[in-house]
Amino acid sequence: MPSNRIQRINEDIQRVLASLLRDIKDPRVNQGMISVTAVDTTSDLRQAKVFLSVFGQQSEKEFLKGLKSATGFLRHRLGQSLSLRHIPELQFVLDNSIQRGARISAILGDLDIPEETSDEHNDDDI
């Protein structure tokens, strides 16, 4: 479990990156709705894993290439927004948990499970 300071820094990085990702003009990055789901920073603040969820992306490989090319811009703007001694190296990881959750929800919604009536339970209790 990260310390309170690291946790606050993670939340600050997440908040700032969420707004900065909208400013990127690269069409490889602007493929859909991007959400920063989490940030995990090392204790020495040298590296940060940024977990992203993208709804409506066409190409995962091109999206990650676009993010890698925009990393310098993002780190520079992050340094301007946050007062940290070291701005962490950013590593982007795609988080597909939202899509998996939606798929599971759809599967569960499609199941045909008969509802139990209250009369069936009363017969068991006697």
Side-chain angles (χ1 to χ4, degrees), residues 104-120:
I104 290 171
S105 179
I107 290 170
L108 291 175
D110 291 343
L111 290 178
D112 187 25
I113 301 174
E115 293 185 25
E116 296 181 19
T117 61
S118 60
D119 295 336
E120 292 174 10

Side-chain angles (χ1 to χ4, degrees), residues 74-92:
L74 292 171
R75 285 188 71 215
H76 176 73
R77 296 287 301 271
L78 198 61
Q80 291 176 339
S81 299
L82 303 175
S83 58
L84 296 174
R85 182 176 291 168
H86 301 285
I87 302 302
E89 293 287 331
L90 302 175
Q91 177 187 3
F92 295 100

